[in-house]
């Protein structure tokens, strides 16, 4: 975790560019953390997310304890982490865990289209948006 996963998660969050993940299957444990570390997470309709740590007596790692409450609120985060239930992509979208569900065959095309749109946009402004939103939960309104 300290040598590989955590530095990767911090790197993705610290990039001055938007990061997009596209989940086309199971995202469990650290792979779920990696998907959730992205600024925009797309998922195929057949994909699902799982915080399986509770089933083996561990706590979520690789950033999940940071991302889950920020994405879905503390109550839902507790349920996801303590119950370890499978969350289908459509439910993940409704919870606010991910940005968008796509038909399986359209997943990569849609994620790529958004990546191209962002790359063609005001990249310095997008970098500042990312920085401000990442800092927002630790900031005061002022």
């Amino acid at each position: 975790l300290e040598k590989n996963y955590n530095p990767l998660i911090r790197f993705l969050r610290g990039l001055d560019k938007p990061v997009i993940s596209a989940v086309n299957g199971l995202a469990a444990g650290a792979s779920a953390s990696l998907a959730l570390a992205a600024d925009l997470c797309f998922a195929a309709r057949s994909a699902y997310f799982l915080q399986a740590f509770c089933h083996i007596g561990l706590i979520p790692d690789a950033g999940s304890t940071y991302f889950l409450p920020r994405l879905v609120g503390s109550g839902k985060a507790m349920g996801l982490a303590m119950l370890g239930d499978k969350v289908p992509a459509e439910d993940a979208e409704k919870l606010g865990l991910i940005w968008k569900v796509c038909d399986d065959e359209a997943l990569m095309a849609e994620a790529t289209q958004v990546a191209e749109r962002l790359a063609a946009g005001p990249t310095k402004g997008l970098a500042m948006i990312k920085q401000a939103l990442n800092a927002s939960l630790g900031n005061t309104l002022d």
Side-chain angles (χ1 to χ4, degrees), residues 10 12-15 39 66-67 70 126-142:
R10 286 189 195 101
L12 294 175
R13 292 304 283 194
L15 277 174
D39 301 306
Y66 178 85
F67 296 121
R70 285 164 171 77
L126 293 173
M128 290 188 295
I129 289 170
K130 179 175 178 172
Q131 181 182 16
L133 290 177
N134 281 338
S136 69
L137 291 174
N139 291 342
T140 65
L141 178 59
D142 293 331

Side-chain angles (χ1 to χ4, degrees), residues 83-97:
L83 299 174
D85 292 341
K86 216 164 128 170
V87 180
E90 289 180 347
D91 292 345
E93 181 182 32
K94 289 175 190 166
L95 285 169
L97 194 62

Side-chain angles (χ1 to χ4, degrees), residues 5-91:
Y5 288 115
N6 294 349
L8 175 59
I9 300 294
R10 286 189 195 101
F11 174 77
L12 294 175
R13 292 304 283 194
L15 277 174
D16 63 353
K17 296 166 181 43
V19 174
I20 295 174
S21 63
V23 177
N24 64 359
L26 167 63
S31 65
S33 298
L34 184 59
L36 300 178
D39 301 306
L40 296 172
C41 180
F42 291 81
R45 201 163 304 285
S46 63
Y48 62 96
F49 297 80
L50 179 64
Q51 292 294 315
F53 302 98
C54 64
H55 300 299
I56 56 173
L58 298 175
I59 67 166
D61 62 26
S64 281
T65 56
Y66 178 85
F67 296 121
L68 288 175
R70 285 164 171 77
L71 292 169
V72 301
S74 60
K76 294 289 185 184
M78 287 289 186
L80 291 171
M82 290 184 169
L83 299 174
D85 292 341
K86 216 164 128 170
V87 180
E90 289 180 347
D91 292 345

Side-chain angles (χ1 to χ4, degrees), residues 89-123:
E90 289 180 347
D91 292 345
E93 181 182 32
K94 289 175 190 166
L95 285 169
L97 194 62
I98 64 169
W99 172 245
K100 188 173 184 182
V101 174
C102 307
D103 290 333
D104 288 28
E105 61 279 353
L107 173 66
M108 292 310 296
E110 194 150 351
T112 300
Q113 178 185 20
V114 170
E116 290 169 349
R117 176 180 166 190
L118 292 170
T123 55

